Amino acid sequence: RWYPWVNFLHHGSIWIFIVAYLAEKTRYYSPWLKLLGIEVRRMSFQDEQEYFKRQSRRQTPEPPSTWLEACRRSLIVGLAGILNLLKVVLPMSIFFYKFLEWWYSSDYAKRIAGDSTVNVPPPEKIEPDPEGLSIPDTPNTCPLCTDELKNPTALPSGYVFCYSCIYPYVEEHGKCP
């Protein structure tokens, strides 16, 4: 019951903030940024220089005063390096594991192996019935109309006919000619 009104107020407040931001009436383009006190703006040349000065001060750490401090720093650097390495290694290992799972569960791996496939021999050739039609000499000829095959269709017996010839015949007689 209340959801449509709350949703309207939520999206309406966002829309109002965006319009006010475009009209330069506020420094925040979202009500959530205003609540958090975060202002999004472009960096000026002075801001960029200040940023690089702070970065250069961070990159030159003070030398450790005691051997305990040196051990602590080297342990922190080592753990940070291991965590950075895990960011790359873990997703790659999950991908590799899923790939292997797919490979061994699919038929593709079995087809590549080749030896484990079973070749089924073709069925024995059915000889035509002596009372039926004679088989034409060329394979592209329909036994019913004795013309070249148009829209060839095979029956379960294995013989091929024109679809327009065999359909009415099978409907009338219920068997292969």
Side-chain angles (χ1 to χ4, degrees):
R1 213 173 118 201
W2 292 97
Y3 177 75
W5 293 103
V6 171
N7 190 35
F8 173 76
L9 289 174
H10 167 72
H11 287 289
S13 65
I14 290 175
W15 184 78
I16 289 170
F17 265 87
I18 289 173
V19 170
Y21 180 77
L22 290 174
E24 297 180 358
K25 300 295 181 190
T26 181
R27 296 182 304 180
Y28 308 98
Y29 67 91
S30 165
W32 309 117
L33 291 178
K34 182 169 176 98
L35 286 174
L36 293 172
I38 298 173
E39 182 181 344
V40 179
R41 62 186 176 107
R42 292 180 184 234
M43 287 179 67
S44 67
F45 183 69
Q46 290 81 15
D47 294 333
E48 195 172 340
Q49 283 182 336
E50 182 64 30
Y51 172 77
F52 284 121
K53 284 180 188 176
R54 277 192 238 143
Q55 288 296 336
S56 64
R57 276 187 251 140
R58 280 189 197 162
Q59 290 175 357
T60 55
E62 298 175 12
S65 57
T66 64
W67 68 273
L68 188 60
E69 179 69 25
C71 290
R72 186 178 143 281
R73 280 190 187 176
S74 62
L75 182 65
I76 289 173
V77 168
L79 285 175
I82 289 171
L83 290 176
N84 281 336
L85 182 66
L86 285 178
K87 284 194 301 189
V88 175
V89 170
L90 283 176
M92 285 177 54
S93 63
I94 291 170
F95 171 77
F96 187 67
Y97 171 75
K98 286 296 186 183
F99 174 75
L100 288 177
E101 187 179 70
W102 166 80
W103 180 265
Y104 285 110
S105 69
S106 70
D107 290 334
Y108 183 72
K110 295 172 188 158
R111 281 186 279 151
I112 294 294
D115 299 336
S116 62
T117 59
V118 178
N119 292 329
V120 178
E124 293 181 22
K125 187 174 180 181
I126 300 173
E127 292 298 322
D129 188 7
E131 295 175 7
L133 296 173
S134 61
I135 298 175
D137 296 331
T138 59
N140 291 339
T141 305
C142 175
L144 286 174
C145 66
T146 63
D147 287 336
E148 188 175 330
L149 287 170
K150 296 175 191 79
N151 195 5
T153 304
L155 293 182
S157 61
Y159 293 105
V160 179
F161 301 91
C162 295
Y163 181 78
S164 58
C165 299
I166 195 61
Y167 183 76
Y169 185 89
V170 172
E171 284 289 316
E172 184 179 330
H173 296 79
K175 63 178 184 172
C176 179

